Amino acid sequence: MRITAPSCICPLLVCLCVVRGDHGTSQHSPVKVTRNHTKLPDGEKEVHHRPKRGWIWNQFFVLEEHIGLDSQYVGKLHSNSDKGDGSVRYLLSGEGAGTIFTINEETGDIHATKSLDREKKAHYILHAQAIDRHTNKALEPESEFIIKVQDVNDNAPKFPDGPFVATVPEMSNIGTSVFQVTATDADDPTYGNSARVVYSILQGQPYFSVDPKTGVIRTALANMDREAREQYAVVIQAKDMAGQVGGLSGSTTVNVTLTDVNDNPPKFPQKNYQLYVPESAQVGKAVGKIKANDDDLGVNAEVAYSITNADGAAIFSISTDKDKREGVISLKKPLNFEKKKAYTLHIEGANTHLDPRFSHLGPFKDHTTLKIIVGDVDEAPIFSMDYYIMDVYENAKAGTEVGAVTARDPDSTNSAVRYSIDHSMHGDSYFNINPATGAITTKQILDREETAWYNITVVTSEVDNPSLLSHVPVTVQVLDVNDNPPEIAVDDEVIVCESSRPGQVIQTIRAADKDDFANGRFSFSLPSDLPANPNFTLKDNEDNSASIVARRQRFSRSSQELYRLAVVVWDGGEPALSSTSTLTLRVCTCGSGRGPRSCQAEAFLSAAGLSTGALIAILLCIVILLAIVVLFINLRSKKGRKEPLVISEEDVRENVVTYDDEGGGEEDTEAFDIVALRNPAVAEVSKLRRDVRPEGWRAPPIGQCSWSPSRALDDADVQGIIRRRLVEADLDASIPPYDSLQTYAYEGRGSPTGSVSSLDWPPGLSEPDYSDVDDWGPAFLKLAELFGEGELEATA
């Protein structure tokens, strides 16, 4: 016999299946197998054969939430091997076996002993076995089957995230989507209508509606105005069983807020306003405020203010305070009650963010009129000018009037004013002011050369109200008067070169005057009451300078070092002033560039008649002589060690005879032959007389050295020549064996200018021009002085 699980669709059919199973007449029709696992009895090998279809189970059903007193019948297990004699034993294992589900081992009936909840566990997996009660051998392989908990409508729909908040713009069209709600039902959505939810609106009509299937909330009323009502509480219900009677339901609240749109133009509360502003109000400061109301919010309520009439906009300005949405009125120009007592402003307030959808509601701006009343205020006096510039001549007597300031009371009362000088500016030390007329006079004699400009501050106040003060700056210029004579501007002594020529400019001098340059140019001359100066003259260059010019050919520092020259200078003022300055002129040796040298450094050299080159040559000769002395001493000491010095009457050394007179010539030296004291080579050269010119001799050009005996020597070093002469003297056997004095005629290469002796000058040539002898150097300084004195005697 084959029994399968019943395919019951509803609890009623399940009950019928249970009743039929109890009578043993119900048959379980086999369905598609979801799971089928067989297990062989212990000790038996696996036999490959088709299992019996009568022992294949699909699933059983049991209702959840069973509240009966008896156990709930689930189904029955039966094996074809069961003959009804009780020899077959049925066993049940798996989830809930023995606790939730029990089986009758003899009949195979399965019961549920507890109430089940599908929402906690929807199905149970169990295993069935049929064994021989006597042998405990498996009559059927182990089979797996499922007990499914059948759903009943025991859970109401829920809104887990509620309540909700939603927004929608005001003035929205009907059907505008606002929000969507979704309810959840824990019941089985695949079985019956237990989880089929339908939405409805319980509160919020007629403003909103909800879609029954989707839960979408939409507007149901047109032109909802936020300014009339802003908040709405919409209650939505969700009901299962497709909304049928007996279904369970749940609800939630959606708080809907209407957002603002610019659908309201600004409005001034009044069409006319009046504002009082005193005439003393400061320019640039706020004098009043005005506001246009707008029922909208945020940027939709922003208002821009402007003054539309030109007269009002010329004196006043208006700006927008975005935080307070006010128009702030400020003063652009000062007010004057005496000139104008009232102003009328046409003010416009307009929205800055417009919505074209609501342009049909009218212009989003408004106008109003503001009348400003100017208040009279007692004002400080006003000067006729912002500043004053006055002038006065220096040396003017105390009390001389410089100028006058004027001020008046701007009020209609036209009160009298008084003047004074601000003591903090120290102007009261030099000037006075008439308190009634404002005339400024000098307090003492002014000196332009001491202070040329004075800055003072004049203060004025009303006689009736001294606390109101006004200040004005006054600048006084001291005009120049020719009261200072000019002076020669020479800081150092004037240097005169010894080689100066007639007409040569010694130095250019200028004058300085403490007075203003407007007094004219300067004129220079020598004093007319003094005799003509034979050495110098003065030339006016007519450009505010004069040149000192030499009148003689040369100046000699040794003859006269300092000269005095008186110079008179006049200015061009009225009256003209003059002064006499005595200049000191110092004679100095100048180089080829005519530039002055240091007179103190040249004093010793000039007095000795030696140049720097000559001084170096002298020092060099001294060094050479010292070296020769040292050598002689060394040689003598060496000879003294070799042989003794014999002094006897038979001394063969020649005697040196001295004479007191300076004449006589060569006959005075007959007692002594000086040839032995001379170098033979130099002696031979010295025999040439200077007054006998050798053949082929030509005069050298000016500036070159003439022929001399010293030129015959090689261009050798002096020390080298001396050493060579010493060696020659030591090796010369013709001289006595005693120390002797050797003389040498070498004195250098000579002057770069050459010989100026007339003995060496060839006949037929004219005498050279010595006009530029001043440029030949310090060696010819004496010659230049001789030529200069000769020219002075010739001109005299």
Side-chain angles (χ1 to χ4, degrees), residues 144-155:
E144 181 183 277
F145 64 95
I146 297 175
I147 298 178
K148 187 175 182 181
V149 181
Q150 189 71 40
D151 182 53
V152 297
N153 190 18
D154 60 343
N155 293 279

Side-chain angles (χ1 to χ4, degrees), residues 84 87 155 178 353 360 617:
S87 62
N155 293 279
V178 179
H353 297 78
H360 62 280

Side-chain angles (χ1 to χ4, degrees), residues 625-638:
L625 292 176
L626 291 176
I628 292 172
V629 171
V630 172
L631 290 174
F632 283 163
I633 294 173
N634 290 335
L635 291 175
R636 186 171 183 178
S637 61
K638 290 180 180 179

Side-chain angles (χ1 to χ4, degrees), residues 210-479:
V210 65
D211 189 292
K213 296 182 179 180
T214 62
V216 176
I217 303 172
R218 302 180 184 274
T219 58
L221 187 65
N223 299 328
M224 286 189 293
D225 192 1
R226 182 198 66 81
E227 289 73 29
R229 183 178 177 182
E230 185 176 6
Q231 299 286 340
Y232 295 87
V234 180
V235 179
I236 303 297
Q237 182 189 64
K239 190 174 183 182
D240 59 10
M241 297 299 294
Q244 298 177 6
V245 178
L248 303 178
S249 63
S251 62
T252 188
T253 301
V254 179
N255 295 313
V256 181
T257 302
L258 298 182
T259 57
D260 183 63
V261 296
N262 191 12
D263 58 341
N264 294 281
K267 295 289 184 182
F268 285 104
Q270 299 175 212
K271 290 299 180 184
N272 295 284
Y273 292 89
Q274 186 170 307
L275 179 65
Y276 174 83
V277 179
E279 63 175 336
S280 60
Q282 297 182 8
V283 175
K285 299 295 183 178
V287 296
K289 298 180 180 179
I290 195 170
K291 184 178 181 179
N293 298 324
D294 194 321
D295 294 333
D296 295 323
L297 299 175
V299 297
N300 298 320
E302 291 183 359
V303 179
Y305 299 91
S306 61
I307 300 175
T308 58
N309 61 319
D311 295 342
I315 306 300
F316 298 91
S317 63
I318 189 170
S319 59
T320 303
D321 187 343
K322 293 185 178 180
D323 295 334
K324 298 181 179 180
R325 298 173 185 170
E326 296 176 335
V328 180
I329 302 170
S330 302
L331 188 62
K332 292 174 63 177
K333 294 182 180 180
L335 301 177
N336 192 332
F337 174 80
E338 287 72 27
K339 291 184 178 180
K340 193 169 184 178
K341 297 178 174 58
Y343 294 89
T344 300
L345 307 181
H346 298 290
I347 299 176
E348 178 185 88
N351 282 141
T352 57
H353 297 78
L354 301 179
D355 193 336
R357 297 177 300 172
F358 308 105
S359 58
H360 62 280
L361 298 179
F364 284 80
K365 58 184 177 181
D366 196 16
H367 297 83
T368 189
T369 301
L370 175 62
K371 185 176 182 180
I372 296 179
I373 306 300
V374 180
D376 187 18
V377 177
D378 191 6
E379 301 174 83
I382 300 176
F383 284 96
S384 60
M385 300 175 64
D386 295 334
Y387 61 91
Y388 293 86
I389 298 179
M390 304 175 184
D391 54 60
V392 62
Y393 282 99
E394 65 174 331
N395 300 332
K397 295 186 298 183
T400 302
E401 183 174 346
V402 178
V405 297
T406 57
R408 63 177 182 85
D409 182 11
D411 299 322
S412 57
T413 56
N414 195 16
S415 301
V417 298
R418 295 180 62 85
Y419 304 94
S420 62
I421 295 178
D422 189 357
H423 297 281
S424 62
M425 300 299 294
H426 305 289
D428 55 345
S429 301
Y430 302 94
F431 301 95
N432 288 324
I433 189 170
N434 190 309
T437 63
I440 300 175
T441 57
T442 59
K443 199 172 184 180
Q444 57 182 335
I445 297 177
L446 305 179
D447 186 1
R448 190 200 68 85
E449 287 70 39
E450 180 180 349
T451 304
W453 294 87
Y454 291 91
N455 294 315
I456 62 176
T457 300
V458 177
V459 182
T460 183
S461 62
E462 294 183 11
V463 176
D464 299 335
N465 189 0
S467 61
L468 295 177
L469 303 176
S470 295
H471 301 75
V472 67
V474 178
T475 301
V476 179
Q477 180 184 9
V478 180
L479 302 179

Side-chain angles (χ1 to χ4, degrees), residues 495-500 588-597 774:
I495 301 300
V496 180
C497 293
E498 292 181 323
S499 58
S500 299
C588 286
T589 302
C590 300
S592 59
R594 304 297 181 184
R597 290 186 174 184
D774 295 327

